[in-house]
Amino acid sequence: MAAENGEEKLIAVARHIAKTLGHNESMAEDILQIFSNFDGRFSREKFVDKFTTARQEEDLRALDHTIKSLRRQISHYVAAEHSIWSDSADSSAFLDCLDELISTVRELSGSIYAEAYLSSAEDLLQKAMFRLEEEFRLLMERGGESFELPRSYKNGNGVLTESNSNNLLYDDSDEDDHDDSDSEIPVAQPISNYDVIIDAFPSGIVNDLHEMAKRMVVSGYRKECLHVYGSCRREFLEESMSRLGLGKLSNEEVQRMQWNELEVEIDKWIKAANVSLRILFPSERRLCDRVFYGFGSVNDSSFMEVCRGAVVQILNFADAVAIGSRSPERLFMVLDLFETMRDLMPEFEYNFSDQYCLVLRNDALGLWKRLREAIRGIFMELENLIRRDPAKAPVPHGGLHPITRYVMNYLRAACRSRESLELVFEESVSVVPSKDSTSSSLSVQMEWIMELLESNLEVKAKIYGDTALCSVFLMNNGRYIVQKVKDSELGSLLGDDWIRKHTAKIKQYISSYQRSTWNKLLGLLRADCSPVGANVGGKSMSMKDRIRAFNSQFEEIYNSQSRWIIFDEQLRNELRISLSNLVLPTYRNFNERLQNTPDVGRHADRFIKYKLEDIDTRINELFQGGNGSAGGRK
């Protein structure tokens, strides 16, 4: 036993000499090799085993001291009742301890003989990370409170803090009228300037969040860090959506909405979509990039998780409208949504440009396409409405048919969104244009609708049975159509040729009316005026018979057609002038001949019921309508 101890002491001395003489570990190994060759008791294996064991014991003692020291410091911060980040010295010291602990754990992870120390260090790291996670949450939730600025503040770069950016999202001018409850969230007022970025926190707090996140990610607590960050920022976006007036509505709730309710909700949606895509989402992207800077794709995945709920909420409402009724009255609502999505598609591409957000971009594009299909479907329903409009009772007095007024005002209003409709109907029209046609898809669509309307009116005109009144009906409706086309965007869509063609049609209706009403009457006056008589319609009539027939037929025309309507004042006056020019000269000539007729002679006044001015007066009283008015146009 003594011999062994003596040998150990001798080996220890030799090892000490080798270590002292050697300038480095390699030289010490060489000296130990020399001792081994000199005396078998100094074998290299004995030297290495003893040397390694001693060094391990020394290293373990140092690790034990380090871990105990870190445990004392970190436990102090973990147990603290106040926030560590309420004092910059404490937060800095805590991060330093974490860095040393993380380094220690990393060092121990590669050592086989320090498993017990590794377990202790990992346990300590877990407790430290739990506290860091809580500090991260507190800073996320309260960080902006220490950076309050006046609500009117806006710096030269157009950057607003989240606290005063609330002024963008809602108007609290009457907040004194509310109690202290949280039951009502102020609703946003319209804004016109989207060229702002919301800085949720001052830069100092953002830097703190970055440093905290960095420690959590490298320690394997990335999931926990992203969960805290995401939940806090999602809550902010949810509150922002509420302040913008956008509720979480199901498809069924949207479908059941009354007309005026849906219009209000769409207005809110347009505002919320613009603020979200142009202000809120870019601001969230900026914050994510700053907090998770240098962490690879962590910022992209985090941004996607933060914004996904708000994006889905925005898209779902518009989608519920898109898949709803195809009633023509919904066109303008759907157009509002379509145009908003069109304007915001570049914002979707910009904000959600990375691979993690591809699904959001695709969802937005899919919605835009569905809105486009909805608009096409609405126009198809308009076509069906025109086709199905029944030809039952005629419009009184040959006036303007409601379907004409409805369709033309509808198309005029729709064409105010011509640019959008051109986009909608691109590569999709109801009829195939001719090969030599240079018309746009929208022009062809409008021509087709006009053709359906004209065909429908021609069927309705046949109900009258009276050729003259049928012509007046077509004259009225044709004139209304042409005027509505000429003074709107429809004119440039349908073209000058279309206008000339349909103006010529109106003249044809006028000619048809004159033939059916006045030719027979004027035939009485133009017949052979010989004393023997004239042959009219196969019957010989004397001059006295002709004037009596004229008086009767003219009075009949006046009594009926003074109740007929020509709504367009210019057309009405033109027609009256044309009739006066047609009737008065013939009537004057007839009267002169009548007075020269032997069997009438001086007694002509007994047979001439109407003087020339009487005829003219009555012609100018035609087409006034039953109440003496030609009626208005709208």
Side-chain angles (χ1 to χ4, degrees), residues 289-333:
D289 289 346
R290 294 174 68 192
V291 171
F292 299 110
Y293 175 75
F295 300 166
S297 61
V298 173
N299 59 334
D300 293 335
S301 60
S302 176
F303 172 72
M304 190 270 189
E305 290 300 324
V306 167
C307 297
R308 178 171 55 183
V311 172
V312 169
Q313 184 179 354
I314 290 170
L315 298 182
N316 280 353
F317 173 81
D319 199 43
V321 177
I323 64 177
S325 167
R326 293 292 189 265
S327 169
E329 287 76 14
R330 293 173 66 92
L331 172 67
F332 306 100
M333 294 182 182

Short mmCIF file of all heavy atoms in Angstrom, two decimals, residues 289-333:
data_model
loop_
_atom_site.label_atom_id
_atom_site.label_comp_id
_atom_site.label_asym_id
_atom_site.label_seq_id
_atom_site.Cartn_x
_atom_site.Cartn_y
_atom_site.Cartn_z
N ASP A 289 -39.85 42.06 -38.79
CA ASP A 289 -38.48 42.09 -39.33
C ASP A 289 -37.50 42.65 -38.31
O ASP A 289 -36.33 42.23 -38.28
CB ASP A 289 -38.46 42.94 -40.60
CG ASP A 289 -39.15 42.26 -41.78
OD1 ASP A 289 -39.41 41.04 -41.67
OD2 ASP A 289 -39.45 42.94 -42.77
N ARG A 290 -37.93 43.58 -37.49
CA ARG A 290 -37.03 44.18 -36.50
C ARG A 290 -36.85 43.28 -35.29
O ARG A 290 -35.74 43.12 -34.78
CB ARG A 290 -37.56 45.54 -36.07
CG ARG A 290 -37.56 46.58 -37.19
CD ARG A 290 -38.23 47.86 -36.76
NE ARG A 290 -37.45 48.56 -35.73
CZ ARG A 290 -37.91 49.58 -35.02
NH1 ARG A 290 -39.17 50.00 -35.21
NH2 ARG A 290 -37.14 50.16 -34.12
N VAL A 291 -37.92 42.67 -34.81
CA VAL A 291 -37.82 41.82 -33.62
C VAL A 291 -37.06 40.54 -33.93
O VAL A 291 -36.24 40.07 -33.13
CB VAL A 291 -39.23 41.49 -33.07
CG1 VAL A 291 -39.14 40.42 -31.97
CG2 VAL A 291 -39.90 42.75 -32.53
N PHE A 292 -37.28 39.96 -35.12
CA PHE A 292 -36.67 38.67 -35.46
C PHE A 292 -35.57 38.82 -36.51
O PHE A 292 -35.32 37.90 -37.29
CB PHE A 292 -37.75 37.71 -35.95
CG PHE A 292 -38.81 37.43 -34.92
CD1 PHE A 292 -40.10 37.92 -35.09
CD2 PHE A 292 -38.52 36.71 -33.78
CE1 PHE A 292 -41.07 37.68 -34.14
CE2 PHE A 292 -39.49 36.47 -32.82
CZ PHE A 292 -40.77 36.96 -33.00
N TYR A 293 -34.94 39.96 -36.53
CA TYR A 293 -33.86 40.21 -37.49
C TYR A 293 -32.72 39.22 -37.27
O TYR A 293 -32.26 39.00 -36.16
CB TYR A 293 -33.33 41.63 -37.34
CG TYR A 293 -32.14 41.93 -38.22
CD1 TYR A 293 -32.30 42.14 -39.58
CD2 TYR A 293 -30.85 41.97 -37.68
CE1 TYR A 293 -31.21 42.40 -40.40
CE2 TYR A 293 -29.75 42.23 -38.48
CZ TYR A 293 -29.93 42.44 -39.84
OH TYR A 293 -28.86 42.69 -40.64
N GLY A 294 -32.26 38.60 -38.37
CA GLY A 294 -31.13 37.68 -38.29
C GLY A 294 -31.50 36.27 -37.90
O GLY A 294 -30.61 35.44 -37.68
N PHE A 295 -32.81 35.97 -37.81
CA PHE A 295 -33.24 34.64 -37.38
C PHE A 295 -33.72 33.79 -38.55
O PHE A 295 -34.58 32.93 -38.40
CB PHE A 295 -34.37 34.72 -36.35
CG PHE A 295 -34.00 35.47 -35.10
CD1 PHE A 295 -34.99 35.89 -34.22
CD2 PHE A 295 -32.69 35.76 -34.79
CE1 PHE A 295 -34.67 36.58 -33.07
CE2 PHE A 295 -32.36 36.45 -33.64
CZ PHE A 295 -33.35 36.87 -32.79
N GLY A 296 -33.20 34.02 -39.73
CA GLY A 296 -33.63 33.23 -40.89
C GLY A 296 -35.05 33.57 -41.28
O GLY A 296 -35.42 34.73 -41.42
N SER A 297 -35.88 32.55 -41.43
CA SER A 297 -37.25 32.73 -41.89
C SER A 297 -38.24 32.90 -40.74
O SER A 297 -39.45 32.88 -40.97
CB SER A 297 -37.67 31.54 -42.75
OG SER A 297 -37.60 30.34 -41.99
N VAL A 298 -37.72 33.06 -39.53
CA VAL A 298 -38.62 33.19 -38.38
C VAL A 298 -39.54 34.39 -38.55
O VAL A 298 -40.74 34.34 -38.24
CB VAL A 298 -37.81 33.33 -37.07
CG1 VAL A 298 -38.73 33.65 -35.89
CG2 VAL A 298 -37.03 32.06 -36.79
N ASN A 299 -39.00 35.50 -39.06
CA ASN A 299 -39.83 36.70 -39.23
C ASN A 299 -40.96 36.46 -40.23
O ASN A 299 -42.08 36.93 -40.04
CB ASN A 299 -38.97 37.89 -39.66
CG ASN A 299 -38.23 37.64 -40.95
OD1 ASN A 299 -37.94 36.49 -41.30
ND2 ASN A 299 -37.91 38.68 -41.68
N ASP A 300 -40.69 35.71 -41.30
CA ASP A 300 -41.71 35.44 -42.30
C ASP A 300 -42.83 34.57 -41.74
O ASP A 300 -44.02 34.87 -41.91
CB ASP A 300 -41.10 34.75 -43.52
CG ASP A 300 -40.16 35.67 -44.28
OD1 ASP A 300 -40.33 36.89 -44.19
OD2 ASP A 300 -39.26 35.15 -44.97
N SER A 301 -42.47 33.49 -41.07
CA SER A 301 -43.48 32.60 -40.51
C SER A 301 -44.28 33.29 -39.42
O SER A 301 -45.50 33.10 -39.31
CB SER A 301 -42.83 31.32 -39.97
OG SER A 301 -41.91 31.62 -38.94
N SER A 302 -43.60 34.11 -38.60
CA SER A 302 -44.30 34.82 -37.54
C SER A 302 -45.28 35.83 -38.12
O SER A 302 -46.42 35.95 -37.66
CB SER A 302 -43.28 35.54 -36.65
OG SER A 302 -43.94 36.31 -35.67
N PHE A 303 -44.85 36.57 -39.14
CA PHE A 303 -45.73 37.56 -39.77
C PHE A 303 -46.97 36.89 -40.34
O PHE A 303 -48.09 37.40 -40.21
CB PHE A 303 -44.96 38.29 -40.87
CG PHE A 303 -45.79 39.20 -41.71
CD1 PHE A 303 -46.28 40.39 -41.19
CD2 PHE A 303 -46.10 38.87 -43.02
CE1 PHE A 303 -47.06 41.23 -41.96
CE2 PHE A 303 -46.87 39.71 -43.80
CZ PHE A 303 -47.35 40.90 -43.27
N MET A 304 -46.78 35.74 -40.96
CA MET A 304 -47.92 35.03 -41.53
C MET A 304 -48.91 34.63 -40.44
O MET A 304 -50.14 34.80 -40.60
CB MET A 304 -47.42 33.78 -42.28
CG MET A 304 -48.48 33.11 -43.12
SD MET A 304 -49.37 31.84 -42.18
CE MET A 304 -50.32 31.07 -43.48
N GLU A 305 -48.41 34.11 -39.32
CA GLU A 305 -49.29 33.69 -38.24
C GLU A 305 -50.02 34.87 -37.62
O GLU A 305 -51.17 34.75 -37.21
CB GLU A 305 -48.48 32.95 -37.17
CG GLU A 305 -47.97 31.58 -37.61
CD GLU A 305 -49.11 30.65 -37.98
OE1 GLU A 305 -50.17 30.71 -37.33
OE2 GLU A 305 -48.96 29.87 -38.93
N VAL A 306 -49.35 36.01 -37.54
CA VAL A 306 -49.98 37.20 -36.96
C VAL A 306 -51.12 37.69 -37.85
O VAL A 306 -52.20 38.02 -37.36
CB VAL A 306 -48.93 38.33 -36.77
CG1 VAL A 306 -49.61 39.66 -36.48
CG2 VAL A 306 -47.97 37.96 -35.64
N CYS A 307 -50.91 37.74 -39.14
CA CYS A 307 -51.85 38.39 -40.06
C CYS A 307 -52.90 37.45 -40.63
O CYS A 307 -53.91 37.92 -41.18
CB CYS A 307 -51.10 39.06 -41.20
SG CYS A 307 -50.00 40.39 -40.66
N ARG A 308 -52.67 36.15 -40.53
CA ARG A 308 -53.56 35.22 -41.21
C ARG A 308 -55.02 35.39 -40.80
O ARG A 308 -55.91 35.45 -41.66
CB ARG A 308 -53.12 33.78 -40.93
CG ARG A 308 -54.04 32.73 -41.57
CD ARG A 308 -53.45 31.35 -41.46
NE ARG A 308 -53.15 31.01 -40.07
CZ ARG A 308 -52.57 29.88 -39.69
NH1 ARG A 308 -52.21 28.99 -40.61
NH2 ARG A 308 -52.33 29.63 -38.42
N GLY A 309 -55.29 35.50 -39.51
CA GLY A 309 -56.67 35.63 -39.05
C GLY A 309 -57.36 36.86 -39.60
O GLY A 309 -58.51 36.80 -40.04
N ALA A 310 -56.66 38.00 -39.59
CA ALA A 310 -57.25 39.24 -40.09
C ALA A 310 -57.49 39.16 -41.60
O ALA A 310 -58.51 39.64 -42.10
CB ALA A 310 -56.34 40.42 -39.76
N VAL A 311 -56.53 38.55 -42.32
CA VAL A 311 -56.69 38.41 -43.77
C VAL A 311 -57.90 37.52 -44.08
O VAL A 311 -58.73 37.84 -44.95
CB VAL A 311 -55.42 37.83 -44.42
CG1 VAL A 311 -55.66 37.51 -45.88
CG2 VAL A 311 -54.26 38.82 -44.28
N VAL A 312 -58.01 36.41 -43.38
CA VAL A 312 -59.13 35.50 -43.59
C VAL A 312 -60.45 36.19 -43.29
O VAL A 312 -61.45 36.03 -44.02
CB VAL A 312 -58.97 34.24 -42.73
CG1 VAL A 312 -60.25 33.40 -42.74
CG2 VAL A 312 -57.80 33.40 -43.23
N GLN A 313 -60.47 37.00 -42.23
CA GLN A 313 -61.69 37.73 -41.88
C GLN A 313 -62.09 38.69 -43.00
O GLN A 313 -63.26 38.79 -43.36
CB GLN A 313 -61.46 38.52 -40.59
CG GLN A 313 -62.70 39.26 -40.09
CD GLN A 313 -62.43 40.00 -38.80
OE1 GLN A 313 -61.37 39.90 -38.20
NE2 GLN A 313 -63.40 40.79 -38.37
N ILE A 314 -61.11 39.37 -43.57
CA ILE A 314 -61.38 40.31 -44.67
C ILE A 314 -61.89 39.55 -45.90
O ILE A 314 -62.89 39.93 -46.52
CB ILE A 314 -60.10 41.10 -45.01
CG1 ILE A 314 -59.78 42.08 -43.88
CG2 ILE A 314 -60.25 41.84 -46.33
CD1 ILE A 314 -58.41 42.74 -44.02
N LEU A 315 -61.21 38.47 -46.25
CA LEU A 315 -61.58 37.73 -47.46
C LEU A 315 -62.92 37.03 -47.31
O LEU A 315 -63.69 36.95 -48.27
CB LEU A 315 -60.48 36.73 -47.81
CG LEU A 315 -59.10 37.31 -48.13
CD1 LEU A 315 -58.14 36.18 -48.50
CD2 LEU A 315 -59.16 38.34 -49.24
N ASN A 316 -63.20 36.52 -46.12
CA ASN A 316 -64.44 35.75 -45.93
C ASN A 316 -65.68 36.59 -46.16
O ASN A 316 -66.66 36.12 -46.74
CB ASN A 316 -64.47 35.14 -44.53
CG ASN A 316 -63.63 33.88 -44.43
OD1 ASN A 316 -63.13 33.38 -45.43
ND2 ASN A 316 -63.47 33.37 -43.22
N PHE A 317 -65.66 37.84 -45.68
CA PHE A 317 -66.84 38.68 -45.87
C PHE A 317 -67.09 38.92 -47.35
O PHE A 317 -68.22 38.78 -47.84
CB PHE A 317 -66.67 40.02 -45.14
CG PHE A 317 -67.78 40.99 -45.43
CD1 PHE A 317 -68.98 40.89 -44.76
CD2 PHE A 317 -67.64 41.97 -46.41
CE1 PHE A 317 -70.02 41.78 -45.04
CE2 PHE A 317 -68.66 42.85 -46.69
CZ PHE A 317 -69.86 42.75 -46.00
N ALA A 318 -66.06 39.32 -48.07
CA ALA A 318 -66.22 39.58 -49.50
C ALA A 318 -66.64 38.32 -50.24
O ALA A 318 -67.42 38.38 -51.20
CB ALA A 318 -64.92 40.15 -50.08
N ASP A 319 -66.12 37.18 -49.80
CA ASP A 319 -66.48 35.91 -50.45
C ASP A 319 -67.95 35.59 -50.23
O ASP A 319 -68.63 35.08 -51.14
CB ASP A 319 -65.60 34.80 -49.90
CG ASP A 319 -65.58 33.58 -50.81
OD1 ASP A 319 -65.48 33.76 -52.04
OD2 ASP A 319 -65.67 32.45 -50.30
N ALA A 320 -68.45 35.90 -49.03
CA ALA A 320 -69.88 35.66 -48.75
C ALA A 320 -70.76 36.49 -49.67
O ALA A 320 -71.82 36.03 -50.11
CB ALA A 320 -70.18 35.98 -47.29
N VAL A 321 -70.33 37.70 -49.99
CA VAL A 321 -71.09 38.53 -50.93
C VAL A 321 -70.97 37.96 -52.34
O VAL A 321 -71.94 37.91 -53.10
CB VAL A 321 -70.60 39.99 -50.89
CG1 VAL A 321 -71.33 40.83 -51.93
CG2 VAL A 321 -70.77 40.58 -49.50
N ALA A 322 -69.77 37.51 -52.70
CA ALA A 322 -69.51 37.01 -54.05
C ALA A 322 -70.35 35.78 -54.38
O ALA A 322 -70.80 35.60 -55.51
CB ALA A 322 -68.03 36.71 -54.23
N ILE A 323 -70.56 34.91 -53.40
CA ILE A 323 -71.29 33.66 -53.66
C ILE A 323 -72.78 33.82 -53.43
O ILE A 323 -73.53 32.86 -53.54
CB ILE A 323 -70.75 32.52 -52.79
CG1 ILE A 323 -70.98 32.80 -51.31
CG2 ILE A 323 -69.28 32.27 -53.07
CD1 ILE A 323 -70.55 31.68 -50.38
N GLY A 324 -73.21 35.04 -53.12
CA GLY A 324 -74.62 35.28 -52.83
C GLY A 324 -75.47 35.41 -54.08
O GLY A 324 -75.09 34.98 -55.18
N SER A 325 -76.61 36.03 -53.92
CA SER A 325 -77.58 36.19 -55.00
C SER A 325 -76.96 36.91 -56.20
O SER A 325 -76.10 37.77 -56.06
CB SER A 325 -78.78 36.99 -54.48
OG SER A 325 -79.59 37.42 -55.54
N ARG A 326 -77.43 36.53 -57.40
CA ARG A 326 -76.99 37.18 -58.62
C ARG A 326 -78.00 38.24 -59.07
O ARG A 326 -78.02 38.64 -60.23
CB ARG A 326 -76.82 36.14 -59.75
CG ARG A 326 -75.68 35.16 -59.51
CD ARG A 326 -74.34 35.86 -59.60
NE ARG A 326 -73.23 34.93 -59.59
CZ ARG A 326 -72.56 34.58 -58.52
NH1 ARG A 326 -72.90 35.08 -57.35
NH2 ARG A 326 -71.54 33.75 -58.60
N SER A 327 -78.81 38.72 -58.16
CA SER A 327 -79.77 39.75 -58.49
C SER A 327 -79.06 40.96 -59.09
O SER A 327 -78.03 41.40 -58.58
CB SER A 327 -80.53 40.17 -57.22
OG SER A 327 -81.30 41.33 -57.46
N PRO A 328 -79.58 41.51 -60.20
CA PRO A 328 -78.91 42.66 -60.83
C PRO A 328 -78.66 43.83 -59.89
O PRO A 328 -77.68 44.56 -60.05
CB PRO A 328 -79.88 43.04 -61.96
CG PRO A 328 -80.56 41.76 -62.31
CD PRO A 328 -80.72 41.03 -61.01
N GLU A 329 -79.53 44.02 -58.90
CA GLU A 329 -79.35 45.13 -57.98
C GLU A 329 -78.07 45.01 -57.16
O GLU A 329 -77.58 46.00 -56.60
CB GLU A 329 -80.55 45.24 -57.03
CG GLU A 329 -81.81 45.76 -57.68
CD GLU A 329 -82.50 44.72 -58.54
OE1 GLU A 329 -82.14 43.52 -58.43
OE2 GLU A 329 -83.39 45.10 -59.33
N ARG A 330 -77.51 43.81 -57.07
CA ARG A 330 -76.29 43.62 -56.28
C ARG A 330 -75.02 43.99 -57.04
O ARG A 330 -73.93 43.95 -56.48
CB ARG A 330 -76.21 42.15 -55.83
CG ARG A 330 -77.28 41.75 -54.84
CD ARG A 330 -77.23 40.25 -54.60
NE ARG A 330 -76.02 39.83 -53.94
CZ ARG A 330 -75.86 39.71 -52.63
NH1 ARG A 330 -76.87 40.01 -51.83
NH2 ARG A 330 -74.73 39.29 -52.11
N LEU A 331 -75.18 44.34 -58.31
CA LEU A 331 -74.00 44.61 -59.14
C LEU A 331 -73.08 45.64 -58.51
O LEU A 331 -71.87 45.46 -58.45
CB LEU A 331 -74.43 45.09 -60.53
CG LEU A 331 -73.28 45.59 -61.43
CD1 LEU A 331 -72.34 44.45 -61.80
CD2 LEU A 331 -73.83 46.26 -62.68
N PHE A 332 -73.66 46.74 -58.05
CA PHE A 332 -72.84 47.85 -57.61
C PHE A 332 -72.12 47.55 -56.29
O PHE A 332 -71.02 48.03 -56.05
CB PHE A 332 -73.70 49.10 -57.53
CG PHE A 332 -74.41 49.36 -58.83
CD1 PHE A 332 -75.74 49.01 -58.99
CD2 PHE A 332 -73.73 49.88 -59.91
CE1 PHE A 332 -76.39 49.21 -60.20
CE2 PHE A 332 -74.37 50.09 -61.13
CZ PHE A 332 -75.70 49.75 -61.27
N MET A 333 -72.74 46.71 -55.46
CA MET A 333 -72.06 46.25 -54.25
C MET A 333 -70.87 45.38 -54.61
O MET A 333 -69.76 45.56 -54.08
CB MET A 333 -73.03 45.46 -53.37
CG MET A 333 -74.17 46.25 -52.78
SD MET A 333 -75.17 45.19 -51.72
CE MET A 333 -76.45 46.34 -51.22
#
